[in-house]
Each structure stands twice: as C-alpha cells, then as structure tokens.
Amino acid sequence: MTDNEIPDLDIAKVTPGRSHLIEANAGTGKTYAIANLFLRFILEGLEVDAILVVTFTNAARDELSARLRKRLANALRLFETGTVDDHEDAYFKSLLDRPDKEESILRLQQALLAMNEAAIHTIHGFCQQALTEQAFASGQPFDVEQANDTPIRQQAIHDWWRSNTYELSREELEQFEKYDFKDLADLNATISPLLEANAPKLEPININDIESTETLTKQQNALLERLINEWKQDEATIRDQLLNKLQRRKAAYKPEALKAFFIALPSLKNNKIDDENTAPVADLLADYAYSELVQKLNKNGKPEDFNHPFFHLIDKLKDIKTRFDQSEKRTLQKEKTEKLETAYKNIKAAMNQHKQTRGLLSFDDMIENLHHAVCESAPSQASKLANILGKRYPLIMVDEFQDTDPKQYAIFQRIHKDTDNHTLVMIGDPKQAIYS
C-alpha cells in the first residue's frame, strides 16, 4: 500500500486506556496508521514527548520521525486552508468537521515546534533513556557509557580457557575434549551463542530415569553366564543350525567366520562385560541374535529352527548393550551441560564485572536491566517504576511488534498493566516474527 491509499484501520475507534494489537502486513499502510494515531492523540491533548513510539532500527526511527512531522504539517495545512486532498483517508478528511479548529491549529503548531523532543526511539534507545531518567528507581548507576559486548565477551572466554586448561595434564585435556572443548575455538563456538541476548537457557539433564551402568553390567554378565551354559549344554544343535540353515552371503555366516565364533564362545566366561569392555563382546555376538538370523535363512531354514534360548539370549544382550550406550550418552550429556553451565556462569560474571568496574553498558544490558527493574525486582519497586514510565508516556506505540522478544514485550505489558488509563498500541506483521 502506498501513502496515497486508504488503510482499513478506523483510527477513531482505537479506544484510549486499553491495549490494542493492529496487524499490518507489508504494504498495508502500517506507518500511515502510526502517523494518524500520533496525530489523533496530539489533537486530543497529549504533548509530543508524552507519546512513546518504539521501533527497532535507527533507519526506521528516522523515517518515522520524518513521517510523523509531515503528518502534523499536513493536518495543520488542512485546518488553516479548510481543504483536503481527495486521496486522503476517511479519518484525515473527518478533521474538517472538528469544532475546535483554532485549538487544533495551536496544538499542531506547538507539536511541530517540539518535534525535536519527540519520544521516537529504538528499543535500546528507550531502555537507555528510561534507565538514565529513572536511575534511582531502576537501580541503574548514574554515569555509564555504551559498550560493545563482543570484545569483552571474547576476552572473558579467552581468560576462562587459559585459567582452566593451561596447567592440565594430557589426560585432563582429553576429558575436556569429551565436552566438545577441544580448543579455544571450539569453546568460543559453543559458549558464544549462550551469551547472546535471548539465548535459550541451559536445561539440566535428568538421568534419574536412566538405568545405572552398574545395574546394567550385572544384567549383562548374568545373561552372558546363561549364554555360555546354553552353549555347553547344546553345542551340537547350535552348531548345526548355524552351519546348515543360513545363507552364506553375509561374512559372519561363512564357515571360517562361524569356526572363529565357535572357538571364541567358551572364552567369553573370561571376558566379562564391564564398563571398559562392552563393544567387543557385543560385536562378536550381534550377528547371531534370533532377530538377525531369521532374516538370513536359506531354503532349508525356518524361523523356528532358531528358537533355541541361546539365540534369544543374544537378543537380550543386544538390548542391554543399547541401554548401556543410552545411559553412557545421557550421563555424558549431563556432564557436558554441567561443565558448560559452569563455564557460562564464570564467563558471564567476568563480563559483568568488567563492565561494572568501568561503568559500561551494552545494548543488550539496557534491555536486560530495564526488564529486571520493571518485571523482576521487588514487586512494589517494579510496580512503582512501571507506573512512573506509564505516566511519563500515557501512549506507547510499538512499531514492528512482531520483532519484540519476550523481555521487551514484558516491559511494555508491565508498564501498561500498572498505569491507569494507559494506552498501548502494538503494530506489525506476525507472519514476519523473528521470535516465536
């Protein structure tokens, strides 16, 4: 939609003192709607600096400022000339019917003179201003400087790596590699995303529902003992089935492989499965499980030929091995998560300490700190700050609201909720949301 086309939104029906969500797809007059709402509330008595308009880039902020100024100027011309262009929308044309033309002209003139003071900000700009103006209420230091988090983060990661690895033995370094911390570059790639704004929290791994390797080892060894006993008791039958009822295309079922298998079986009693020795035994037995054999029968073989307990026991051993591997995997995941969480907390603390001692604040810190002050601090203190901001800005319009993250959204909702007769208007296209 172009500036000269009429949007569907009825500006006059946007009720003050409520929260509104206006869906506006690309090209449907979103900026036009913001400009008309801005004009309407100026004419209804709000000062320019009492209307907060929030967007997400400096370019969008500058464009909005120019568009709002132009809309006010066009409205002033309408009242002064008593004429309106045909292409204008219904709301703008309805201004000709206002009875308070002189008062409207005065308000528009004052608004245009004050446009340099208009509260049109990026989200970071708004948070910075709110923290600065309400430093005492928000617990924000009075004198802070903006900083780029990237070099601070890189230094903190490097310092953590150096202090935790430089004096380790080769064996201890190999343990680090299990956690995907093979080198500084790996650590950086793993930890950096967690230090970004809105990064997902590390969820602890619960292994209470996983069988212990000790329990599984006992089960494995018991099954192995039964398997060897079955072989001793019925070796001839088992040999006959394996030698005469299977296809020979698979290497494990060729005579030389079977011969090696028969020789190895008795020695399994001296090769108990334990934490250090599960794969060799499992690999040796895997091809001779009932579930495998019935798929490789020759023309003389039938599934019931392999119903011998020996072959079913191997299936059970395979299942135990799978559960053993799952247990080890989950345990390693838990250890990795705990190690990563320790690294994250230490690196984050080092970054915060660096910025705090130097009076620095990053863009993400601004949102984080205002969110904490408005939503997470002591209830009475949070409500007081939200109310102060709500009275400071009785109308808040959030452009591109689909790009607000949960913390940004929570800030505006808390301000609106804790302020009487507050108006919150969120405008954007949900289909283009970058946060779900």
Side-chain angles (χ1 to χ4, degrees):
M1 184 173 191
T2 67
D3 277 2
N4 294 335
E5 292 180 306
I6 300 173
D8 295 330
L9 175 66
D10 188 343
I11 298 299
K13 290 185 178 180
V14 176
T15 308
R18 295 178 58 184
S19 174
H20 300 271
L21 173 60
I22 299 173
E23 294 188 19
N25 301 336
T28 58
K30 174 174 62 65
T31 306
Y32 204 96
I34 295 172
N36 269 349
L37 285 168
F38 189 83
L39 169 61
R40 174 192 157 181
F41 282 92
I42 289 292
L43 291 174
E44 292 182 3
L46 285 185
E47 300 291 336
V48 163
D49 63 354
I51 302 175
L52 174 62
V53 183
V54 178
T55 189
F56 286 85
T57 67
N58 291 332
R61 177 201 62 196
D62 294 342
E63 180 188 356
L64 265 177
S65 181
R67 294 284 288 274
L68 298 183
R69 186 188 296 271
K70 180 180 178 181
R71 200 59 174 159
L72 295 183
N74 288 345
L76 178 59
R77 189 178 305 112
L78 175 148
F79 284 114
E80 290 177 337
T81 64
T83 61
V84 62
D85 292 338
D86 290 339
H87 68 256
E88 286 291 0
D89 62 274
Y91 170 73
F92 198 78
K93 290 177 179 177
S94 73
L95 298 180
L96 288 172
D97 300 326
R98 289 181 68 96
D100 57 344
K101 289 184 174 58
E102 295 301 321
E103 186 176 353
S104 295
I105 289 173
L106 180 60
R107 284 176 176 165
L108 289 169
Q109 289 173 336
Q110 291 174 338
L112 283 165
L113 289 172
M115 275 302 289
N116 288 340
E117 301 172 12
I120 306 169
H121 299 297
T122 63
I123 181 64
H124 298 102
F126 160 65
C127 291
Q128 181 185 22
Q129 180 170 309
L131 291 168
T132 301
E133 290 184 351
Q134 306 300 329
F136 183 77
S138 65
Q140 176 70 38
F142 285 91
D143 185 20
V144 294
E145 296 179 17
Q146 288 186 17
N148 182 353
D149 253 355
T150 302
I152 299 172
R153 179 173 65 243
Q154 294 301 317
Q155 185 61 51
I157 292 173
H158 185 272
D159 290 345
W160 186 89
W161 176 260
R162 185 180 64 247
S163 64
N164 282 270
T165 64
Y166 279 19
E167 296 183 3
L168 294 182
S169 65
R170 180 178 295 277
E171 292 75 17
E172 290 169 325
L173 280 173
E174 288 176 355
Q175 183 70 19
F176 251 63
E177 292 183 6
K178 288 174 57 179
Y179 305 138
D180 295 332
F181 296 168
K182 296 181 179 65
D183 52 34
L184 179 58
D186 277 346
L187 172 64
N188 191 33
T190 303
I191 205 97
S192 286
L194 299 174
L195 296 164
E196 298 287 349
N198 305 300
K201 291 185 177 179
L202 284 169
E203 297 294 337
I205 303 295
N206 180 14
I207 62 171
N208 292 333
D209 59 338
I210 297 296
E211 297 166 283
S212 72
T213 55
E214 181 181 356
T215 299
L216 290 170
T217 297
K218 291 179 180 178
Q219 293 178 17
Q220 286 174 321
N221 288 333
L223 286 171
L224 188 59
E225 192 74 32
R226 290 172 57 190
L227 185 76
I228 295 170
N229 288 336
E230 290 290 344
W231 171 256
K232 290 178 177 178
Q233 294 173 13
D234 209 0
E235 178 182 341
T237 300
I238 297 170
R239 279 177 176 271
D240 178 67
Q241 291 168 326
L242 289 172
L243 288 169
N244 300 312
K245 303 296 178 65
L246 295 173
Q247 302 171 15
R248 300 298 180 214
R249 289 194 295 270
K250 188 176 178 70
Y253 305 147
K254 292 183 182 299
E256 58 271 22
L258 288 170
K259 181 178 179 181
F261 176 64
F262 298 150
I263 293 172
L265 268 173
S267 65
L268 288 180
K269 64 182 179 181
N270 300 318
N271 196 18
K272 294 282 188 180
I273 299 173
D274 56 35
D275 289 3
E276 301 299 327
N277 185 33
T278 57
V281 174
D283 291 344
L284 174 66
L285 298 174
D287 290 323
Y288 305 103
Y290 174 82
S291 58
E292 294 289 331
L293 295 173
V294 294
Q295 300 179 53
K296 304 296 181 182
L297 300 172
N298 63 22
K299 62 182 181 180
N300 298 318
K302 300 185 293 296
E304 53 266 30
D305 292 334
F306 292 96
N307 250 339
H308 194 286
F310 178 87
F311 304 112
H312 288 289
L313 282 170
I314 296 177
D315 267 314
K316 291 182 178 180
L317 277 167
K318 282 181 63 179
D319 176 66
I320 291 283
K321 180 60 169 60
T322 299
R323 287 152 56 194
F324 196 101
D325 290 343
Q326 290 173 342
S327 177
E328 286 192 320
K329 182 179 179 181
R330 289 284 296 279
T331 300
L332 178 59
Q333 287 177 333
K334 182 176 186 293
E335 292 174 358
K336 286 169 63 175
T337 300
E338 290 172 348
K339 193 68 174 180
L340 190 58
E341 184 175 19
T342 299
Y344 165 80
K345 288 180 177 179
N346 290 341
I347 291 168
K348 185 72 172 177
M351 291 174 62
N352 291 339
Q353 180 66 21
H354 177 95
K355 287 182 285 188
Q356 184 177 355
T357 56
R358 291 163 178 79
L360 303 176
L361 203 64
S362 72
F363 286 133
D364 292 336
D365 291 334
M366 295 173 191
I367 296 172
E368 181 72 31
N369 290 1
L370 185 59
H371 176 266
H372 177 80
V374 169
C375 301
E376 296 179 344
S377 59
S380 59
Q381 183 178 343
S383 182
K384 179 181 178 181
L385 177 57
N387 186 258
I388 290 172
L389 293 173
K391 289 180 177 177
R392 172 74 174 83
Y393 302 112
L395 168 62
I396 296 178
M397 290 191 285
V398 183
D399 183 26
E400 304 287 1
F401 85 90
Q402 76 275 0
D403 292 339
T404 56
D405 65 38
K407 289 183 178 179
Q408 295 162 10
Y409 180 77
I411 290 170
F412 296 122
Q413 282 294 332
R414 184 61 186 267
I415 292 171
H416 175 70
K417 175 177 173 288
D418 284 13
T419 308
D420 293 337
N421 300 316
H422 186 270
T423 306
L424 174 62
V425 181
M426 296 169 288
I427 305 172
D429 181 3
K431 294 189 291 298
Q432 296 183 23
I434 61 174
Y435 298 103
S436 57

